[in-house]
Amino acid sequence: MDALKASSFLSFRRQPIAAATRNPIEKPISTIPSSHRIAPILRSNFRTFTAVSPAAPSAEEEAEEEKREERFNWYEQWYPVWPVCDLDKRRPHAKKVLGIDLVVWWDRNEDAWKVFDDSCPHRLAPLSEGRIDQWGRLQCVYHGWCFGGAGDCKFIPQALRDGPPVHTSNKACVAAYPTFVQNGILWFWPNSDPQYKEIHSTKKPHYIPELDDPSYTNTMVAREVGYGYEVLIENLMDPAHVPYAHYGIMRMPKMPESLKADREGGRPLEINIQRLDVNGFSSKQMFGENHFIAPSLYYGHFSPGGGQSTNKTPSDGEKDVQLIAVPVPPKKKVMLIFYCIPVSPGYSRLIFASPRNFGVWMERIVPRWMFHIGQNLILDSDLYLLHVEERKLKDVGALNWQKACYVPTKSDALVVTFRRWLNKYGGTQVDWRNKYTGELPPTPPREQLFDRYWTHTVSCSSCSVAYKHLNALEIALQVISIASVAAVAAAKQGAISTAARYSLASMAVLCFVASKWLSHFIYKTFRYHDYDHAFL
């Protein structure tokens, strides 16, 4: 789990990589351009921002300037939906992006993933609760209406066989969105207008070749989180919070005692913004660059060298996830890739990958769900902080962010720049197209907020299988324990030796204790893990 523990949250050595292609409608590049090509690639004001200062433009000034600038269109972009490896071709899946309820399903007739509105045109029942019928059609299980890969209605059971072909009416069709599979992720275009049917031929999502390179690892994790898109991106762009919010999970490389100012080892960070335009921005840190490609992608990479630390993650995923200094040749690289998806107000989705070109063998022998243990723990450790923070920011208002938040150091430069991009180009927030009132949902009980089962386990192909198998093992241990006790009790005096009785009794105790430990492990790993910072 080397790469995750270094997640975006850290400030590691990174080699320069460019942020975007020259033109958003060009085909994906086969390699990531170097930093010296960034300047001519995108239109930019090329002003460098290091941190907010009293002379920085106010939110009102940026809002006025925004009217003269190019606006970011939230509905003319590709959005990642979910990793393909976690989608089951045997059933439809319910997902939400940009407040749009979607059903994702595999059309075996066209050998392709499809994304429709999750609403049957008959009585608006959710198609995601349906099934794939024997002819490979998506069937609504409320009244049996069936749909093909283009969203066209193929069959209405209630219609007369020799009557008018009512199933051919446009009113019987489901809105079908353009889809594209790239980098192991299913993407969709949030506009079902026929003019966008072939949009993938002229405009593709930003391509990252390392995710398709067999010499790199490619483990992904996807998680629904209980705070919004804006807060999710800000958190990933903030390396300064890592030693504090994730203390006890991600142990930082040791600093000389003369440089440490506190137990956690926080320190000044030099972050400079290299460009800012409607397509996103790039930042330069001491050892490299990171890039935000609007609206969803934030990524960078680094090359660990001798003395630089890499991650070693224990299989139990508890609080010993740490960085251990391991010399790594300079040619070895790790990328940190985050896809941040707006789901609805107060909810977002994260797809994380950290491909590396060393230690690939670990991915072949360690089950994927074990890598997810530590990744989920990291997300949980600051989840409540961000959930509450979002509600306070909502009370302040998006345009008053800089007034309410005191961000005087360079370590906040990325967060400040994201807010500036959002205000200048993005309309201050995600464009929900009046689907919501603007209010955030109420804070749920902690058990619900920190729930892992519905936000990850049930939708992860590896974790869901591990959850079932470990539950079966727990039951088997309990059965063996009870059977061993019963065998001892039922044996007649002298029917079995004293040694055998002691062995059976010991087995009963050990199996009982193991089942209790396993039950606790399953619960904390796959269902619910709270986090208390006060006692770390």
Side-chain angles (χ1 to χ4, degrees):
M1 186 167 218
D2 295 274
L4 164 77
K5 303 316 170 229
S7 66
S8 84
F9 323 146
L10 294 175
S11 176
F12 283 117
R13 295 180 182 241
R14 295 177 172 85
Q15 289 187 344
I17 51 178
T21 56
R22 176 183 300 273
N23 187 320
I25 65 172
E26 291 179 353
K27 293 183 178 180
I29 56 176
S30 58
T31 58
I32 300 176
S34 60
S35 58
H36 70 271
R37 294 175 56 194
I38 292 178
I41 288 178
L42 293 166
R43 294 189 303 275
S44 171
N45 56 15
F46 293 98
R47 295 167 61 188
T48 299
F49 304 93
T50 57
V52 68
S53 68
S58 68
E60 290 81 359
E61 290 172 341
E62 289 186 1
E64 286 299 320
E65 185 180 358
E66 172 193 336
K67 298 177 182 178
R68 301 188 297 271
E69 295 282 354
E70 183 179 358
R71 291 294 300 273
F72 182 77
N73 190 326
W74 294 88
Y75 289 83
E76 291 188 0
Q77 314 293 333
W78 286 102
Y79 287 86
V81 180
W82 204 259
V84 171
C85 64
D86 289 325
L87 293 173
D88 189 341
K89 293 182 178 180
R90 300 170 300 173
R91 59 164 305 152
H93 304 267
K95 302 297 177 187
K96 179 177 285 191
V97 178
L98 281 176
I100 306 171
D101 289 314
L102 305 172
V103 55
V104 177
W105 65 287
W106 176 254
D107 181 6
R108 69 170 183 258
N109 296 311
E110 296 186 24
D111 203 32
W113 288 103
K114 301 293 181 178
V115 176
F116 290 178
D117 267 336
D118 192 13
S119 182
C120 179
H122 177 215
R123 298 268 292 280
L124 309 184
L127 293 171
S128 58
E129 291 297 314
R131 64 174 69 95
I132 312 299
D133 74 2
Q134 60 267 46
W135 292 283
R137 305 173 300 190
L138 177 62
Q139 183 185 66
C140 176
V141 294
Y142 194 22
H143 293 93
W145 288 33
C146 295
F147 304 91
D152 53 320
C153 184
K154 295 293 189 180
F155 178 54
I156 298 178
Q158 295 77 27
L160 295 173
R161 304 296 184 270
D162 56 353
V166 293
H167 68 281
T168 61
S169 169
N170 288 336
K171 292 183 177 181
C173 297
V174 181
Y177 296 97
T179 59
F180 190 65
V181 174
Q182 179 176 278
N183 288 147
I185 296 173
L186 175 64
W187 301 73
F188 99 112
W189 185 271
N191 194 323
S192 60
D193 191 294
Q195 66 174 311
Y196 295 108
K197 183 178 181 180
E198 301 297 329
I199 188 64
H200 65 275
S201 64
T202 56
K203 182 176 181 179
K204 291 181 173 64
H206 187 81
Y207 181 64
I208 298 180
E210 285 82 353
L211 287 175
D212 292 331
D213 189 336
S215 66
Y216 281 75
T217 60
N218 61 3
T219 297
M220 285 188 180
V221 61
R223 173 86 181 262
E224 311 279 358
V225 290
Y227 48 83
Y229 159 88
E230 296 90 346
V231 173
L232 174 62
I233 290 186
E234 286 181 359
N235 186 53
L236 298 173
M237 290 181 177
D238 174 21
H241 83 281
V242 176
Y244 302 94
H246 304 301
Y247 182 78
I249 302 176
M250 301 170 64
R251 294 183 183 175
M252 309 296 293
K254 288 187 177 181
M255 293 179 61
E257 289 299 323
S258 59
L259 299 179
K260 288 187 67 172
D262 57 19
R263 178 189 67 170
E264 292 80 8
R267 57 193 174 92
L269 299 174
E270 185 79 17
I271 302 176
N272 297 305
I273 307 304
Q274 298 300 296
R275 68 165 185 87
L276 170 66
D277 60 29
V278 69
N279 298 301
F281 52 85
S282 296
S283 69
K284 184 173 179 60
Q285 300 186 33
M286 186 178 298
F287 301 109
E289 298 183 359
N290 288 332
H291 305 282
F292 169 59
I293 310 299
S296 298
L297 176 60
Y298 177 62
Y299 74 106
H301 75 243
F302 67 96
S303 295
Q308 185 76 10
S309 296
T310 58
N311 303 345
K312 297 297 177 185
T313 305
S315 61
D316 62 5
E318 294 296 327
K319 298 181 180 179
D320 291 324
V321 178
Q322 55 183 310
L323 297 173
I324 303 174
V326 177
V328 180
K331 293 183 180 180
K332 304 304 182 182
K333 298 178 182 178
V334 177
M335 290 193 71
L336 304 171
I337 304 168
F338 301 91
Y339 296 98
C340 306
I341 303 123
V343 173
S344 60
Y347 295 99
S348 57
R349 181 178 304 126
L350 173 65
I351 299 175
F352 169 77
S354 187
R356 65 181 186 277
N357 63 356
F358 61 93
V360 179
W361 59 270
M362 289 182 60
E363 195 171 85
R364 299 192 180 102
I365 64 174
V366 178
R368 178 171 170 243
W369 65 269
M370 287 189 176
F371 289 96
H372 290 182
I373 295 174
Q375 295 165 354
N376 278 314
L377 190 61
I378 290 174
L379 289 172
D380 285 337
S381 59
D382 57 12
L383 192 156
Y384 189 76
L385 303 175
L386 299 171
H387 178 86
V388 174
E389 174 187 306
E390 180 177 32
R391 276 140 186 80
K392 293 182 177 180
L393 291 174
K394 181 67 177 178
D395 293 339
V396 169
L399 290 176
N400 294 318
W401 186 89
Q402 282 188 333
K403 291 181 179 179
C405 300
Y406 181 52
V407 283
T409 69
K410 292 184 177 182
S411 65
D412 292 311
L414 280 165
V415 177
V416 171
T417 305
F418 173 71
R419 282 291 172 176
R420 189 167 191 271
W421 175 87
L422 199 60
N423 289 341
K424 187 175 183 179
Y425 300 107
T428 74
Q429 66 176 17
V430 175
D431 180 7
W432 301 112
R433 289 195 169 174
N434 300 318
K435 299 183 188 76
Y436 303 99
T437 63
E439 296 299 318
L440 293 173
T443 298
R446 291 180 74 91
E447 290 79 5
Q448 183 178 339
L449 184 62
F450 284 87
D451 170 76
R452 283 192 190 175
Y453 184 77
W454 294 107
T455 60
H456 173 74
T457 301
V458 75
S459 299
C460 175
S461 58
S462 57
C463 289
S464 60
V465 170
Y467 178 71
K468 293 176 183 177
H469 289 174
L470 291 175
N471 272 307
L473 177 59
E474 179 193 351
I475 294 172
L477 290 171
Q478 293 173 353
V479 170
I480 294 172
S481 178
I482 295 172
S484 299
V485 172
V488 172
K492 295 181 179 179
Q493 188 68 23
I496 60 176
S497 66
T498 302
R501 287 199 299 272
Y502 278 122
S503 296
L504 287 172
S506 298
M507 181 183 296
V509 172
L510 289 174
C511 287
F512 177 77
V513 172
S515 70
K516 288 299 182 182
W517 178 89
L518 186 57
S519 175
H520 178 71
F521 175 80
I522 292 171
Y523 185 71
K524 293 187 69 175
T525 301
F526 301 108
R527 299 203 70 92
Y528 169 72
H529 188 123
D530 202 347
Y531 199 87
D532 190 345
H533 293 266
F535 296 101
L536 296 177

